[in-house]
Amino acid sequence: MYLVSVETVKIKDFIFNTNKLKTIRGASFLLDYLNQVVVKDILNKNGVGKDDILYVAAGNAKFYCKDKEVAKKIEAEIKEVYNNFAPDSKLAISYIDAKGEEVWDAMDKLAKATNVVKNKGFSKINLDLPFIEKCGICCDNPVQIKKENFNENLESYVKNFDSYLENEKLKTLNDRYKIEYQIFDKDGVSGICPSCFAKYIAANLIKDDFQEIGFYSDFKKEFKDEFKPVDSLEEYKLKKSFIGFMYSDGDSVGEFLKNAKENFKGKDKGEDKYKEFIKNFSQTLDIHTKGSLIEVLKELREENKLDEHFGEFLIVGGDDVCAVFPGHIVMEVSTRFQERFNSKMKDYYKTCNFKNNGSNITSSGGVIIAKAKTPMYYLFDQSLTLQKNAKKKRYETYENKNVDFKNGFIDFQVIGSEGTVNIGDFRKGVKNLIQRPYSIEDMDSCKKIDNLLQLIESLKASNFPKNKLRMYYDLKAEIEKNPNKSMENLFELINTIVKLDSEQKELILSWIGKKNLSNSHEDTLKEILNNIFDVIELYDFVGGSK
């Protein structure tokens, strides 16, 4: 008996190597289709039954098969179909002899084998050679398809797809000329690579024939015809030409599974129960991720905070959510999603009846608010940087601490013009004026993101003068350079409070803390308004249009 692992790796590189929305949609669909349909069909044809499959979800699969020959045959078939339908996608396939191995030990052994495969890396063509023409869409691969051989390649690709479907056929090729015009005339490229070609074809000719694949199938059941897809990300620039990009990812998944096996070892039928647990867990994780996002979008729709476009859902499944929303709503979507997901996974953890040891799964995320024309791969890279910041904060918060349940975190950044800005270097200049990353739930040691968003909403509702917020920032920033200005700047700040109306005055006093002002001294200004830059940066992107 062999245990096999199939992992789609470098998924984000495959999806986000271009800013073309159609291409991104096609890439996301292809990976969903291959994982959810094709892999399952290949396993079934090779005698891998339902009871042999541990899970197939979110680009990954783990299953048992009869012997090494079957494992090698499955590997070859999966690689071939991925290469045919999604060229340039990357797979890490590994297998071990699991005979006599308990399932948890076999999975640990398989994980090591998979890491060996990943560490080998993937070959890449040198595109800097003068005789190689780069793809006009992604610039990552050499050109192989041009206008003169477009139809030939299209018919070959669709025929290949039809042959795999057996009893089904793709409905139409009527849009072939529209696609040809889009690529070579409207976009003005001279040639493209097979990878971008497949993504374009999937988005324009194939995706709509498979409505039950991916997150959109669940999404459309809830929202039906209310949702209107956009042709360009620039259609989301409802607030000063900015869009929002969120990327949330699960925390402690590996730790949770590692600790979970201890609850099955030495128990009657422990291995069988653990296998069943793994199957249910992967389904539960996926359901809670998709369900949490749908519930949040439903709430926002009922609150009239979403227009007909809703958002662009690039990766939703497993424990990942990568999506685009209008800039003025993305923080609320991300925050609510993480709260909902964390709550669902905490309830799930409790139903498992495992000993509370802080290995519960949460979600931490990064949010980028940037100009609509910022290249997609920059948005992803920057959101990934912020997500890592959030995860690092989570790790540091709980390091060497015994807690029943951990909490997720969120980090954010508004980027005005340069998508390539180094966030770490930029923050060095304002490190005492920000409190990011924020906690998703209440904690004694960390600031909660909801409190920041509510503060901004209250300031805007009271028509608090933005010039005074900027002045508070300048007063705070000045003492970083000249500590001797502390008392002078503090008195200047107090003088502005006196001139505010009663509602605004209460807001500022609550924010600063009356106790701080009543005990004012030269260090007071250093200790208050430590999130002033967070407030100013998010001010235009929270709480509506004010």
Side-chain angles (χ1 to χ4, degrees), residues 315-496:
I315 304 172
V316 183
D319 57 357
D320 286 339
V321 171
C322 190
V324 175
F325 298 96
H328 69 282
I329 198 67
V330 66
M331 281 299 298
E332 193 164 3
V333 175
S334 188
T335 299
R336 289 199 196 188
F337 164 77
Q338 287 181 240
E339 289 173 343
R340 188 65 53 87
F341 177 84
N342 292 354
S343 176
K344 287 179 182 290
M345 292 309 297
K346 184 184 289 185
D347 290 342
Y348 169 74
Y349 187 87
K350 292 176 180 177
T351 62
C352 290
N353 293 319
F354 295 162
K355 180 181 177 181
N356 286 3
N357 57 6
S359 65
N360 61 296
I361 295 170
T362 61
S363 177
S364 289
V367 173
I368 285 289
I369 299 173
K371 291 286 188 178
K373 291 185 179 181
T374 306
M376 184 67 73
Y377 44 87
Y378 286 156
L379 293 175
F380 172 74
D381 284 346
Q382 298 287 33
S383 68
L384 181 58
T385 296
L386 296 175
Q387 183 203 95
K388 289 180 178 178
N389 287 348
K391 288 180 175 291
K392 180 182 178 183
K393 179 68 173 179
R394 183 182 187 270
Y395 174 79
E396 293 173 346
T397 300
Y398 294 109
E399 186 178 13
N400 300 322
K401 291 182 181 178
N402 293 320
V403 295
D404 288 340
F405 296 103
K406 291 180 182 177
N407 178 28
F409 285 78
I410 185 171
D411 198 359
F412 61 87
Q413 188 74 43
V414 177
I415 299 176
S417 57
E418 280 293 327
T420 57
V421 63
N422 187 303
I423 293 175
D425 288 347
F426 170 77
R427 289 185 176 181
K428 289 177 182 177
V430 292
K431 62 181 180 180
N432 294 321
L433 305 172
I434 65 176
Q435 293 185 331
R436 306 171 221 178
Y438 282 78
S439 167
I440 293 297
E441 299 176 19
D442 282 318
M443 296 183 67
D444 293 335
S445 59
C446 303
K447 299 295 182 181
K448 184 182 179 184
I449 186 64
D450 271 348
N451 294 339
L452 173 66
L453 303 184
Q454 288 168 12
L455 170 62
I456 295 173
E457 289 186 11
S458 297
L459 289 169
K460 295 177 77 168
S462 71
N463 293 311
F464 195 90
K466 286 181 68 175
N467 65 322
K468 282 190 168 53
L469 290 176
R470 174 58 63 175
M471 187 199 75
Y472 296 159
Y473 169 77
D474 291 338
L475 292 174
K476 284 278 293 182
E478 188 176 12
I479 68 167
E480 297 296 319
K481 301 175 183 177
N482 184 5
N484 295 328
K485 300 275 290 186
S486 293
M487 284 302 291
E488 181 183 339
N489 288 1
L490 180 61
F491 289 145
E492 187 174 347
L493 186 150
I494 293 172
N495 286 335
T496 67

Side-chain angles (χ1 to χ4, degrees), residues 133-194:
E133 182 182 356
K134 295 181 182 179
C135 172
I137 301 296
C138 69
C139 299
D140 285 342
N141 300 303
V143 166
Q144 294 185 41
I145 298 168
K146 295 195 171 188
K147 199 168 186 177
E148 52 266 29
N149 65 351
F150 175 82
N151 283 333
E152 175 187 343
N153 280 277
L154 174 62
E155 290 175 5
S156 175
Y157 185 87
V158 172
K159 183 179 180 181
N160 193 13
F161 216 102
D162 279 342
S163 67
Y164 187 81
L165 295 176
E166 292 184 351
N167 296 324
E168 299 181 55
K169 296 290 179 184
L170 295 178
K171 293 177 182 176
T172 179
L173 285 181
N174 291 337
D175 286 338
R176 70 168 67 191
Y177 301 111
K178 177 182 176 182
I179 301 171
E180 183 180 339
Y181 169 79
Q182 175 75 33
I183 296 174
F184 298 108
D185 296 314
K186 186 177 179 181
D187 289 342
V189 303
S190 60
I192 62 174
C193 66

Side-chain angles (χ1 to χ4, degrees), residues 25-294:
R25 285 175 180 155
S28 182
F29 163 78
L30 282 173
L31 293 185
D32 277 338
Y33 177 77
L34 290 170
N35 179 245
Q36 296 177 28
V37 177
V38 175
V39 168
K40 289 181 179 178
D41 284 350
I42 289 175
L43 297 185
N44 182 56
K45 291 174 183 176
N46 283 278
V48 178
K50 186 177 179 181
D51 292 339
D52 298 319
I53 298 174
L54 295 178
Y55 62 83
V56 178
N60 299 320
K62 280 187 174 62
F63 54 89
Y64 285 95
C65 64
K66 185 173 65 172
D67 53 36
K68 187 174 182 178
E69 292 305 311
V70 175
K72 290 174 68 175
K73 185 171 182 292
I74 290 173
E75 177 186 19
E77 291 182 11
I78 290 176
K79 284 184 175 180
E80 180 182 14
V81 79
Y82 268 76
N83 185 60
N84 288 339
F85 294 158
D88 206 37
S89 59
K90 305 293 191 296
L91 289 173
I93 301 179
S94 58
Y95 39 84
I96 62 164
D97 185 353
K99 184 178 180 181
E101 298 267 9
E102 292 183 312
V103 59
W104 35 76
D105 293 332
M107 289 184 69
D108 288 342
K109 188 175 177 181
L110 181 62
K112 293 177 182 178
T114 301
N115 286 335
V116 170
V117 174
K118 290 180 180 179
N119 290 335
K120 289 180 180 178
F122 300 90
S123 60
K124 195 169 183 65
I125 296 174
N126 182 4
L127 296 182
D128 293 330
L129 299 173
F131 54 84
I132 293 182
E133 182 182 356
K134 295 181 182 179
C135 172
I137 301 296
C138 69
C139 299
D140 285 342
N141 300 303
V143 166
Q144 294 185 41
I145 298 168
K146 295 195 171 188
K147 199 168 186 177
E148 52 266 29
N149 65 351
F150 175 82
N151 283 333
E152 175 187 343
N153 280 277
L154 174 62
E155 290 175 5
S156 175
Y157 185 87
V158 172
K159 183 179 180 181
N160 193 13
F161 216 102
D162 279 342
S163 67
Y164 187 81
L165 295 176
E166 292 184 351
N167 296 324
E168 299 181 55
K169 296 290 179 184
L170 295 178
K171 293 177 182 176
T172 179
L173 285 181
N174 291 337
D175 286 338
R176 70 168 67 191
Y177 301 111
K178 177 182 176 182
I179 301 171
E180 183 180 339
Y181 169 79
Q182 175 75 33
I183 296 174
F184 298 108
D185 296 314
K186 186 177 179 181
D187 289 342
V189 303
S190 60
I192 62 174
C193 66
S195 180
C196 288
F197 173 79
K199 296 168 189 176
Y200 256 94
I201 300 307
N204 288 278
L205 296 182
I206 298 175
K207 187 171 181 287
D208 288 342
D209 285 357
F210 298 90
Q211 296 296 320
E212 298 303 313
I213 301 299
F215 173 73
Y216 279 100
S217 62
D218 297 324
F219 175 82
K220 288 181 178 180
K221 288 175 184 175
E222 176 62 41
F223 299 105
K224 299 181 175 63
D225 297 328
E226 298 177 56
F227 169 74
K228 179 181 178 183
V230 299
D231 293 324
S232 166
L233 289 178
E234 292 187 38
E235 293 184 49
Y236 289 115
K237 61 179 185 180
L238 304 182
K239 185 65 179 176
K240 296 187 177 180
S241 300
F242 283 84
I243 59 173
F245 189 100
M246 68 170 279
Y247 182 24
S248 296
D249 182 53
D251 307 307
S252 293
V253 176
E255 181 185 4
F256 172 78
L257 292 175
K258 180 180 178 181
N259 292 335
K261 65 186 181 185
E262 300 300 327
N263 295 273
F264 297 91
K265 285 183 176 181
K267 303 288 179 66
D268 183 40
K269 296 184 178 180
E271 280 197 85
D272 292 338
K273 291 178 180 178
Y274 183 69
K275 289 179 183 178
E276 191 63 30
F277 162 76
I278 290 294
K279 291 180 183 180
N280 293 333
F281 166 76
S282 63
Q283 295 171 1
T284 298
L285 189 65
D286 191 66
I287 289 170
H288 285 341
T289 296
K290 294 174 180 175
S292 295
L293 184 57
I294 286 175

